Amino acid sequence: MTIELQAKFQTEQEQHIRGQPPLALSLVVPVYNEAETVGIFIEQVEGIFNNPDEVVVEYIFINDGSTDNTLELLLLLQRRLPHIKVIDLSRNFGKEAALSAGLRCATGQVVVPIDVDLQDPPELILQMIVKWQEGYEVVLGRRIDRTSDSWAKRASANWFYRIHNKIADPIIPENVGDFRLMDRQVVDALNELPESRRFMKGLFAWVGFRTACIDYSRAERVAGTSKFNGWRLWNFALEGITSFSTDPLKIWTYVGVAVSLVSFLFAAVIVLKVLFTGIDVPGYASLMVMVSFLGGLQLIGIGVLGEYLGRTYLESKRRPIYLVRRIYENKG
Ligand code: UDP
Ligand code: MG
C-alpha cells in the first residue's frame, strides 16, 4: 500500500512540481513522556519522505513538560537530523497548548499536526498532499475504524460529537482528530485567534476553509501509554462544549419557565382539591420530592454558570497559552 502510494505520489509530484522548489512540510508533534516512541516515529517518517527534492520535512517537537528523557533523546536525534526543531515548554501545559506552540513555530507551506505514537499514519500525508494540490486548504484524516480505542472511549466520543454538534457552532466533523493537513493560510488564521483556552478541534472547525476528508483506520499505539484517562476526557469534552456554545447557559430560562408552569398547575390542583374535597392532610412526601427536585435543579443551573464564569475568569487574565523554556533549532 505504502509503496503504491509513494509511486502514485511521485508521478503526481513529477507532473505538478517539476522544476519547482520542493514542498515545505511542517510536522507539529506534541510529546509528553514519549521516550519510547519518538525514535520509531522519526524512523518511519524519514522512510516515507526520503526525497528532499520533492518534500522537505521540518519536524517541530513540542516537549510538553516530559519527566522522562524525551528531551535528551530529541536533542540527540537533532544532531543527526538538523531539520528537527524542539520547543521545550516550561511545564506540562496539555496537548492543546502544545499544539498552539507548534503551529506558531511552523514555517512550512503545509502543516500537519500528528501524534508521535503512530496512531495517525504518516503515509496518509502523501494522499493529503495530493488533495491539497487539487486546491483543498484543509485535508482531514477521518478515522473509520476505531477498534484500537477502548469501547468506553468510542462511546463517550460518540456522545460528545452528538451533543456538541446539536448545540454548538460550528459543527465538528465526527471521528476527526487533530491529524490533518493545513495550508499556510489556515495556520496563519489559527495563530491569529486570541483565546487562551484552546480547544483545537473547535478552533480548527471555526476557521473553515475548503475542506476534504481522507479515511483511515486508527492503529494501536506503537509503544508507551495513552495520556488521556476518563476524567481528563470528561473535562476535555466540557471545554469543547463551553468554548463553542452558550446553549447550556440559556437553557435554564426555559427549564425555569417549564418548572414554574408545572408548579403553578400543581398549586391549582391542590386548591381545587381542597375546594372540592375539604381540607386535605398536607403531603410530606410530595413536599420533600418537590423541594429536593427544585434544589437539585438550582444547583445544576449554578454549576453550569460556574463552568462559564470560571472560563471567562481565566480568559480575562490574558495569561499566555504556554511558556517556552528554550527553542532548540539549527539556524541556516
Ligand atoms: N500529549 C501532550 N501533552 C499531554 C498529553 C498528550 O503533548 O499532556 C501528546 C502525546 O505525547 C501524543 C499526543 O499528545 O503525542 C496524543 O496523546 P495520546 O496518544 O496519549 O492520546 P490518545 O491517542 O490516547 O488520545
Ligand atoms: Mg495516541
Side-chain angles (χ1 to χ4, degrees):
M1 177 71 176
T2 313
I3 294 165
E4 272 170 32
L5 264 177
Q6 245 163 334
K8 177 175 174 337
F9 177 70
Q10 265 154 16
T11 42
E12 297 252 357
Q13 285 283 300
E14 274 156 25
Q15 286 161 5
H16 281 85
I17 319 190
R18 188 172 308 194
Q20 286 182 14
L23 175 66
L25 165 71
S26 299
L27 296 182
V28 174
V29 199
V31 284
Y32 175 49
N33 292 343
E34 298 281 4
E36 290 170 71
T37 47
V38 278
I40 312 174
F41 173 79
I42 290 183
E43 197 179 316
Q44 176 127 356
V45 175
E46 285 293 297
I48 295 166
F49 298 100
N50 48 14
N51 188 350
D53 294 334
E54 286 167 359
V55 180
V56 179
V57 180
E58 167 194 56
Y59 294 90
I60 309 228
F61 284 100
I62 307 94
N63 179 33
D64 189 14
S66 299
T67 49
D68 64 356
N69 60 345
T70 304
L71 180 64
E72 288 75 25
L73 220 96
L74 284 171
L75 295 180
L76 218 76
L77 286 160
Q78 192 186 40
R79 274 197 233 156
R80 188 159 60 84
L81 301 167
H83 44 295
I84 291 182
K85 263 189 211 172
V86 183
I87 307 174
D88 188 25
L89 300 187
S90 64
R91 64 170 172 87
N92 179 257
F93 280 92
K95 189 185 173 189
E96 310 299 295
L99 273 180
S100 301
L103 292 178
R104 284 255 155 89
C105 219
T107 58
Q109 206 174 346
V110 292
V111 179
V112 178
I114 183 167
D115 285 0
V116 74
D117 56 10
L118 291 174
Q119 285 198 290
D120 306 330
E123 61 271 13
L124 206 75
I125 299 173
L126 297 175
Q127 291 182 48
M128 289 176 167
I129 294 176
V130 173
K131 280 270 178 217
W132 173 76
Q133 284 166 338
E134 286 169 15
Y136 292 100
E137 288 134 347
V138 178
V139 187
L140 308 174
R142 185 170 50 198
R143 308 155 180 176
I144 43 167
D145 172 18
R146 293 189 60 162
T147 39
S148 61
D149 287 331
S150 69
W151 176 86
K153 194 163 180 175
R154 272 180 287 154
S156 52
N158 243 335
W159 273 102
F160 168 72
Y161 286 117
R162 235 190 255 178
I163 295 174
H164 184 280
N165 289 341
K166 265 238 157 66
I167 64 176
D169 223 15
I171 283 182
I172 300 181
E174 263 183 66
N175 294 323
V176 170
D178 299 325
F179 183 43
R180 63 190 60 217
L181 178 141
M182 290 177 285
D183 185 76
R184 179 80 253 155
Q185 221 184 334
V186 182
V187 178
D188 288 344
L190 281 169
N191 290 340
E192 290 281 304
L193 298 181
E195 53 252 80
S196 58
R197 299 191 57 90
R198 297 175 89 82
F199 179 68
M200 291 313 285
K201 280 197 208 8
L203 297 182
F204 285 148
W206 188 88
V207 294
F209 288 99
R210 225 173 291 133
T211 304
C213 249
I214 294 182
D215 293 337
Y216 72 100
S217 81
R218 190 151 164 89
E220 297 274 354
R221 203 176 218 285
V222 65
T225 49
S226 172
K227 312 294 181 297
F228 288 90
N229 57 25
W231 182 242
R232 213 169 162 177
L233 280 173
W234 164 249
N235 281 310
F236 190 48
L238 276 187
E239 182 76 50
I241 288 173
T242 51
S243 292
F244 286 90
S245 170
T246 49
D247 283 7
L249 276 177
K250 294 188 220 151
I251 196 174
W252 294 99
T253 316
Y254 303 98
V255 172
V257 168
V259 171
S260 316
L261 277 179
V262 170
S263 22
F264 190 71
L265 284 178
F266 189 50
V269 168
I270 293 172
V271 169
L272 288 176
K273 214 170 157 195
V274 171
L275 279 182
F276 286 109
T277 63
I279 302 296
D280 193 20
V281 181
Y284 170 73
S286 60
L287 204 67
M288 280 311 286
V289 169
M290 284 307 281
V291 168
S292 52
F293 173 67
L294 286 178
L297 215 60
Q298 282 162 356
L299 283 179
I300 296 172
I302 294 171
V304 173
L305 281 180
E307 289 286 342
Y308 282 92
L309 188 65
R311 281 178 173 78
T312 315
Y313 172 61
L314 289 175
E315 197 70 53
S316 72
K317 289 179 192 264
R318 315 282 339 137
R319 278 196 195 131
I321 307 163
Y322 52 83
L323 280 184
V324 176
R325 180 180 293 117
R326 187 167 161 193
I327 297 180
Y328 301 86
E329 65 179 315
N330 293 301
K331 293 251 159 39

